[in-house]
Amino acid sequence: MHTPLCGHAEGAPEEYVACARSLGIPEVCFTDHAPAPDGYDPITRMTIDKFVEYKRMISDAAKAQDITVLYGIEADYYPGCEKFQTQWLKSEPFDLVIGSVHFIGNWGFDNPANMAVWKSTDTVEAWRSYFELAARMASTGLYDIVAHLDLPKKFGHLLPVNDCRREINDALDAMATTGMTIEINTSGLRRKIADTYPSRDLLEMARRHGIPVCFGSDAHKPADVGFAFDKALALAREAGYTETVTYRQRRSTTVPLP
Ligand code: ZN
Ligand code: FE
């Protein structure tokens, strides 16, 4: 779940928690976009001086007695981020850190403002580059959870699985090796693509690699919280999962699916 500090989400953290409460969700985690002091993608994230405010907002929301509110962050991986993130992520007492890939080189491929670039881009090459970055992300060992695994499909450029088997397998191998979890992210169900990230075939591959799953709504407003979790849960079971994981202070615990 995000907060208004990233500049493209709305609603107070307490409102997100209230939505979770109304759905009977026992545990949530805020994972807003991490600051990047080197100037990476400044439009969609809080500045580092706002981070103290983020911390305060989450600890205030965590005063809720009836719901567990975890302290997390979504940290974008990009080549060159390692120096800052290696220091910074461990300097904060996060419960969990989500790693994501939103850029191939200088191209923010999931940003509607950059959508036209898809017209002049080879789709197979874009997906291969994306999974190579996802593998590099996993190999850093900096993150606990993989965000929206097949995000490049956002505008309809579906994953050509057969053309990318090697890259997909390398990425999943790296995620399995470093003990990452994959989220079933329901935000794609709110968009034209009308599918979870990842889609079912990719989720089945993840299961065959022994990678655990967790659930995320990627809420950017309170009403998104828990969106389509019934579908996400059914999908996890269809893909062969019987368990999920929860995090405290960056350590995961396996629990049965609800
Ligand atoms: Zn966002
Ligand atoms: Fe993201």
Side-chain angles (χ1 to χ4, degrees), residues 96-245:
L96 64 88
V97 175
I98 300 186
S100 60
V101 174
H102 284 272
F103 275 76
I104 298 170
N106 291 323
W107 175 33
F109 60 81
D110 71 318
N111 183 338
N114 300 330
M115 196 158 53
V117 178
W118 279 101
K119 291 198 174 105
S120 60
T121 300
D122 182 290
T123 302
V124 172
E125 283 308 318
W127 275 104
R128 285 180 178 155
S129 301
Y130 171 82
F131 276 106
E132 282 164 13
L133 286 162
R136 283 180 71 167
M137 168 183 80
S139 303
T140 65
L142 286 170
Y143 317 99
D144 306 309
I145 298 171
V146 184
H148 38 65
L149 178 61
D150 53 3
L151 182 62
K153 76 182 176 192
K154 180 172 173 181
F155 303 127
H157 306 87
L158 297 181
L159 171 62
V161 174
N162 285 327
D163 294 318
C164 299
R165 288 222 180 260
R166 188 169 56 87
E167 290 80 6
I168 295 170
N169 273 311
D170 287 352
L172 294 175
D173 282 345
M175 289 161 193
T177 301
T178 52
M180 292 186 83
T181 294
I182 286 175
E183 66 157 350
I184 301 179
N185 179 317
T186 59
S187 71
L189 292 168
R190 302 194 288 273
R191 303 186 189 282
K192 216 171 117 199
I193 189 73
D195 193 11
T196 52
Y197 304 113
S199 54
R200 179 170 168 172
D201 54 349
L202 196 50
L203 189 63
E204 286 175 351
M205 286 183 236
R207 188 189 52 75
R208 289 198 290 274
H209 278 76
I211 301 171
V213 278
C214 64
F215 298 87
S217 59
D218 207 348
H220 282 71
K221 57 179 189 300
D224 291 341
V225 174
F227 180 80
F229 269 22
D230 51 344
K231 287 195 180 117
L233 182 57
L235 179 70
R237 290 191 194 283
E238 284 163 21
Y241 284 98
T242 57
E243 295 170 328
T244 182
V245 289

Side-chain angles (χ1 to χ4, degrees), residues 2 6 8 33 44 74 218 220:
H2 292 268
C6 65
H8 61 273
H33 303 275
T44 59
E74 174 181 349
D218 207 348
H220 282 71

